[in-house]
Amino acid sequence: MREIHNSIITTNSLNPAARTTSANGSSADLQGYEGAEIIVTAGLWTDGTHVFTLEESTNDSSFTDVATAEIIGTEPTIDAGAEDNMTYRFGYVGDARYIRVVQTITGSPGTGLISGAVIVRTMDRNAPTGASA
């Protein structure tokens, strides 16, 4: 059996929390990595529309929305009970050095959504041939 434990690095972008207002996540530095996957975990949803998007930056201070062509899969929107208690994922294939997850909330939620987002970096450019760390 093959393992991936030693070939990925994770960064919490949005720490798990019950959110009722929009939030910008912490950034992940992609320097030295060829790939990134974003994992969004959605716990209990009670109200509001929660849209998760990805932003990119070259300087870790001025962020812009990632173009649709640079996203693999679909950035999730959670606005119903049938969409909670699930894990969503999408990939990034852009060339910016920094990325972060943004959770935009509309609809004046009372208790909102329990959620979090992790950025997984992989394919280390400096790993020995045949390996990644």
Side-chain angles (χ1 to χ4, degrees), residues 9 15 30 34 36 47 49 57 59 62 70 76 84 86 94 98 103 111 115-116 120 127 131:
I9 303 293
N15 289 325
L30 302 180
E34 295 290 334
D47 47 23
T49 299
S57 173
N59 60 12
S62 298
E70 295 178 340
D84 69 0
M86 296 181 71
Y98 302 94
Q103 182 177 355
T111 51
S115 61
V120 180

Side-chain angles (χ1 to χ4, degrees), residues 12 17 19 26 30 34 46 48 55 63-64 77 101 105 120 129-130 132:
N12 271 353
R19 287 193 182 77
S26 300
L30 302 180
E34 295 290 334
T46 55
E55 290 184 339
F63 284 84
T64 58
T77 295
V101 180
I105 303 171
V120 180
T129 303
S132 182

Side-chain angles (χ1 to χ4, degrees), residues 1 11 14 16 20 23 29-30 35 43 45 51 53 59 68 71 85 89-90 94 97 106:
M1 180 171 243
T11 299
L14 289 169
T20 58
D29 186 350
L30 302 180
W45 172 89
V51 179
T53 56
N59 60 12
T68 303
I71 299 287
N85 295 313
R89 67 185 185 100
F90 59 95
R97 179 169 172 180
T106 58

Side-chain angles (χ1 to χ4, degrees), residues 50-120:
H50 303 260
V51 179
F52 294 85
T53 56
L54 196 62
E55 290 184 339
E56 63 186 356
S57 173
T58 57
N59 60 12
D60 201 22
S61 63
S62 298
F63 284 84
T64 58
D65 291 337
V66 172
T68 303
E70 295 178 340
I71 299 287
I72 300 170
T74 304
E75 297 164 304
T77 295
I78 296 135
D79 59 3
E83 299 161 342
D84 69 0
N85 295 313
M86 296 181 71
T87 301
Y88 299 86
R89 67 185 185 100
F90 59 95
Y92 173 70
V93 294
D95 59 4
R97 179 169 172 180
Y98 302 94
I99 59 173
R100 71 179 181 189
V101 180
V102 174
Q103 182 177 355
T104 303
I105 303 171
T106 58
S108 301
T111 51
L113 171 72
I114 298 171
S115 61
V118 174
I119 297 171
V120 180

